[in-house]
Amino acid sequence: MTGLRRYALCWVHLVIGGAFLMPYFLMASVVLSLVRDGTDTYGDIATQFLAFGLALPPAWAAGLVFAPARSMATGAVRTFYGVPRELLADEPGYSWTARRRTALWYLAHNAAGGIVSGMSLAAPPAAVGLLALPFSTGLQRGFPGWQEAFPGVLGPLAGLALLALLAGTTWGAGQLMARLAPVLLGPTPADRLAAAERRAAGLATRNRLARELHDSVGHALSAVTLQASAARRVLDTDPEFARQALAAIEDTTRDAVAELDTVLGLLREEDGGDPTAPAPTLDGLEALLERTRAAGVRIETTVQGRCTGLPPVVSREAYRIVQEGLSNALRHAGPVPVELSVHRTERELTLRMENPVSGRVAGPAPGSSVPAPRTGGGRGLLGIAERARLLGGEAAAGAHDGVWRLTVRLPLAGRERGARGAVRP
């Protein structure tokens, strides 16, 4: 934007401030005419300045009590001064700190606008008269004082100086307003904290959805991959087993679609809608294990205590942790034996999963593709750790003597202080 256009927009904004001040100025003038009998309110310059001063407090109060005033002011500042968006607050100022800052902005805007507006009304006609004074006998007779004060070329020089004063005042007031805008209309500490909380909530929602998709869909894809691989290997030699594998793939994908609908329901829940299906819990553990066994994984399960009656959030997160642990075994070790232990006490729920990570195990036929043994954790382990941390629990994972072991402890009595959620080796 050119400097001349920016200057013109600055002048327009200041004149708008003067227009906003005008009702309060007229009201103050009426009050002064009633209080001071015989005073020519509009003819006495001192009375006009007094009315101008009395008009400012009501303008300040208007910015204090009207919360949306900040949003209106920031929009005008961006348009007329080109102040970057990130330096200004978009939301209405409901806190008293924001209200006080907005009120000070309106006070400065109306004061500067009133001065520039008054000069814009008075200075140009006076400047034109002074410029024409040496050449107009009518002006010389009509304004003898001007002729005496500015004889000869002093009249035009005074007219040019008056126009320069108006231009300089407008430029200076515009620069002042542009510098004050980020200070008075920018986000307060409370606004920054609220924005950070909104960003954190958004990131938490994204992470939650990522965890749900990774655990549910990832598990299904891992199981389907192994089931399809097994069916392909024995398609000619054992058609019955191949049919069973294809049926298992059908069941697994159907369950995956249902769980995907549950995850999409989380989006609807964030938008104020109702999720279309409840999230799976430990009540559905046996079905999860059966689907995984259909992929060729031998699972030995030990359950101490009841898996029913758990707090809903603990039961849901525990199901996802077991699901992700099985997915990790399928992806990184193949169809190896898995030992799952679920131990419930009055205070906590402990999940422990073990599977071999080295050596050959019975399962796939020779020449089949078996995932290489893993040497470290993946993103799934980070998701498990995050789930445990959010519940105030802890997770530990690592290889010990050729066995990969995952241990997760979840408290049942609410979130504990100093919760630990990082995956420890």
Side-chain angles (χ1 to χ4, degrees), residues 9 88 148 177 193 200 205 255 291 314 330 346 352 417:
L9 289 175
L88 303 174
E148 295 177 2
M177 299 305 296
L193 178 60
T205 300
D255 293 336
R291 291 196 300 270
V314 175
L330 289 171
E346 293 183 359
R352 182 175 291 107
R417 293 183 179 271

Side-chain angles (χ1 to χ4, degrees), residues 64-289:
L64 185 68
V65 300
F66 188 53
R70 186 173 71 171
S71 299
M72 298 168 56
T74 54
V77 167
R78 292 193 188 101
T79 301
F80 291 103
Y81 295 100
V83 177
R85 176 180 292 273
E86 61 271 13
L87 298 180
L88 303 174
D90 292 321
E91 300 81 8
Y94 292 106
S95 67
W96 283 110
T97 301
R99 289 173 184 265
R100 285 191 293 269
R101 291 184 178 185
T102 305
L104 288 176
W105 166 261
Y106 273 91
L107 179 64
H109 181 208
N110 291 336
I115 293 173
V116 171
S117 296
M119 293 181 64
S120 298
L121 289 174
V128 171
L130 289 171
L131 288 171
L133 184 61
F135 313 103
S136 174
T137 56
L139 287 174
Q140 295 172 6
R141 290 194 300 269
F143 299 94
W146 285 14
Q147 180 63 24
E148 295 177 2
F150 306 105
V153 297
L154 292 181
L157 292 177
L160 294 175
L162 195 58
L163 293 176
L165 178 62
L166 172 60
T169 303
T170 302
W171 180 85
Q175 292 296 310
L176 176 64
M177 299 305 296
R179 292 178 180 273
L180 284 178
V183 177
L184 299 180
L185 299 179
T188 64
D191 295 328
R192 294 189 179 94
L193 178 60
E197 290 176 346
R198 287 193 297 271
R199 287 193 297 269
L203 289 175
T205 300
R206 291 175 57 187
N207 289 338
R208 180 186 179 191
L209 293 174
R211 288 196 309 268
E212 296 293 332
L213 286 172
H214 180 274
D215 294 351
S216 60
V217 179
H219 171 80
L221 292 177
S222 298
V224 166
T225 299
L226 288 177
Q227 290 163 349
S229 177
R232 177 181 56 81
R233 290 196 307 270
V234 300
L235 182 60
D236 297 328
T237 60
D238 192 349
E240 180 61 28
F241 180 83
R243 281 193 293 271
Q244 293 176 1
L246 292 175
I249 290 175
E250 181 182 0
D251 293 338
T252 301
T253 53
R254 184 182 297 111
D255 293 336
V257 170
E259 292 199 22
L260 181 60
D261 187 60
T262 299
V263 175
L264 295 178
L266 295 176
L267 286 174
R268 303 185 186 98
E269 188 178 7
E270 293 294 333
D271 293 335
D274 295 327
T276 58
T281 64
L282 276 185
D283 294 341
L285 178 61
E286 190 59 36
L288 172 65
L289 298 179

